[in-house]
Amino acid sequence: MLKLDSVSKVYRVGAFGGRELKAVSDVSFEVGEGEVVSLIGESGSGKSTLGRMILRLASISGGRITLDGRDITSIKDRKEYYRQVQGVFQDPFSCYNPVFRADRVFAMIKEQYFPQAGADEWRKRVEGALESVRLDPGNVLGKYPHQLSGGQLQRMLIARAVLLDIRLLVADEIISMLDASTRIDVLNLLADLRARGLGILFVTHDLSLGNYVSDRTVVLRHGKIVEMGRTDLVFGNPAHPYTRSLLASVPRLHAKWTDAVPEDVPCAFHEAPQESRTRPGLAEVEGDHFVACAGCGASKIKENA
Ligand SMILES: Nc1ncnc2c1ncn2[C@@H]1O[C@H](COP(=O)(O)OP(=O)(O)OP(=O)(O)O)[C@@H](O)[C@H]1O
């Protein structure tokens, strides 16, 4: 369904945009139907930039993003694209205008996508979508954003996506602002949606959430993929020192992920046979488990030989 091929993003920064900042470099991965892929990395690793490029909120500097083989930038009718792909973000409050009732988000969908739907039919559809995200329509319809909790507002945004019957959801840190019990509700909700065939890109810096929710995991560092593959393989048998340091630092509150201690172990990328390098910059260490060079310097040694 969604495929990223060597995607890069360069921002122009500094006075008059005179400097370049490479936020994403050569990132390739796929999200299939009914698949949850988590995109994990520390702050500044390029996760949101990737999400924004997929949602066409940021331009793509290099590479291609395709949906069913179609370059997303060639889909001129953005409405057609957003009918299939939607995003939900960390702060649900910022997605609502405080002067309007929260359910205005549904009215806007009707105006744009279903203008012919009759009032009764539409109300039933909205109620159905709310029930599917485990909200009681009677409790939330007609209320202003400040009268609803963060979890309710977040679920209403997911209901909006359900109403559109989208195929791919970019969920960017959607539960970091929710309390523990609401978190589990939203995670279970994502599992239900996945069972109905929705593909989900779950952007998070929280490893345990990624492990809980996803089929496949992509670990990003400084805008590059360091490791990716089936979640049980990446978490069960991490091959890159960075992933290992991430996993090791989970129980240590406030430990910085970059505090990785260099390891005196062979680099999995350079240990892997040449024929396992089926993807640029990555070697397949086992079925559906890929790793990048640990920064061991072997490539430089080769170049200089
Ligand atoms: N609009 C922008 N202009 C210039 N630089 C940007 C812009 N947006 C992001 N960046 C930079 O790009 C890099 C990647 O940022 P991004 O927000 O994608 O990271 P992230 O992994 O999502 O971080 P976080 O988890 O903190 O949201 C960072 O160095 C950031 O400062």
Side-chain angles (χ1 to χ4, degrees):
M1 185 174 52
L2 185 88
K3 193 161 187 259
L4 282 78
D5 270 316
S6 295
V7 171
S8 301
K9 176 70 186 176
V10 177
Y11 288 113
R12 302 223 58 103
V13 293
F16 307 109
R19 242 176 359 99
E20 287 191 342
L21 186 147
K22 196 150 196 187
V24 173
S25 305
D26 277 336
V27 165
S28 305
F29 66 86
E30 291 114 57
V31 185
E33 249 163 55
E35 185 179 45
V36 181
V37 175
S38 56
L39 190 57
I40 298 182
E42 65 197 0
S43 185
S45 57
K47 307 180 297 295
S48 296
T49 297
L50 274 166
R52 290 171 54 78
M53 285 192 281
I54 294 167
L55 289 167
R56 300 186 63 181
L57 300 172
S59 62
I60 301 165
S61 310
R64 245 160 62 97
I65 302 180
T66 54
L67 185 70
D68 299 330
R70 248 176 111 187
D71 190 323
I72 63 167
T73 57
S74 74
I75 304 173
K76 296 290 170 234
D77 182 358
R78 285 192 179 233
K79 245 168 81 176
E80 181 198 338
Y81 186 65
Y82 293 129
R83 181 82 178 74
Q84 302 183 72
V85 180
Q86 287 273 325
V88 178
F89 301 94
Q90 178 172 18
D91 176 10
F93 296 98
S94 66
C95 298
Y96 294 86
N97 186 330
V99 300
F100 293 110
R101 291 190 175 91
D103 51 34
R104 181 170 176 260
V105 292
F106 301 125
M108 287 163 76
I109 293 275
K110 180 176 183 309
E111 260 167 47
Q112 282 181 27
Y113 293 96
F114 308 100
Q116 284 95 347
D120 274 359
E121 180 207 339
W122 184 251
R123 186 178 40 77
K124 278 194 193 121
R125 282 170 73 171
V126 169
E127 287 176 0
L130 287 170
E131 278 156 11
S132 78
V133 299
R134 305 195 197 110
L135 282 175
D136 176 355
N139 260 342
V140 293
L141 290 176
K143 299 236 168 109
Y144 286 90
H146 71 270
Q147 296 174 305
L148 297 167
S149 71
Q152 285 172 321
L153 292 172
Q154 198 65 285
R155 272 183 279 183
M156 279 178 83
L157 292 174
I158 299 172
R160 181 175 165 271
V162 168
L163 206 52
L164 276 170
D165 200 16
I166 56 161
R167 299 175 58 217
L168 179 86
L169 179 72
V170 176
D172 191 347
E173 300 278 10
I174 61 168
I175 45 185
S176 29
M177 285 183 72
L178 307 180
D179 62 59
S181 63
T182 318
R183 273 179 171 210
I184 210 73
D185 261 9
V186 174
L187 286 177
N188 290 337
L189 167 62
L190 293 184
D192 285 355
L193 296 174
R194 168 183 46 189
R196 289 199 239 151
L198 182 73
I200 301 172
L201 181 66
F202 187 77
V203 178
T204 184
H205 60 268
D206 188 324
L207 286 162
S208 46
L209 289 180
N211 187 21
Y212 181 82
V213 82
S214 63
D215 304 296
R216 304 184 77 247
T217 294
V218 176
V219 183
L220 212 60
R221 187 187 196 195
H222 303 325
K224 291 188 178 146
I225 294 179
V226 294
E227 188 157 358
M228 71 172 186
R230 253 175 46 201
T231 298
D232 58 329
L233 300 178
V234 172
F235 279 76
N237 182 26
H240 195 281
Y242 179 63
T243 318
R244 284 200 286 271
S245 77
L246 291 186
L247 290 169
S249 66
V250 166
R252 290 189 286 130
L253 278 178
H254 313 305
K256 276 179 82 181
W257 288 1
T258 38
D259 290 346
V261 181
E263 294 177 45
D264 195 13
V265 290
C267 164
F269 176 85
H270 282 99
E271 285 290 294
Q274 195 68 37
E275 57 274 19
S276 70
R277 298 186 195 166
T278 50
R279 292 174 179 243
L282 295 171
E284 190 167 16
V285 284
E286 58 191 317
D288 199 2
H289 184 187
F290 300 84
V291 70
C293 171
C296 65
S299 49
K300 284 204 185 86
I301 294 166
K302 249 189 184 167
E303 276 162 24
N304 296 335

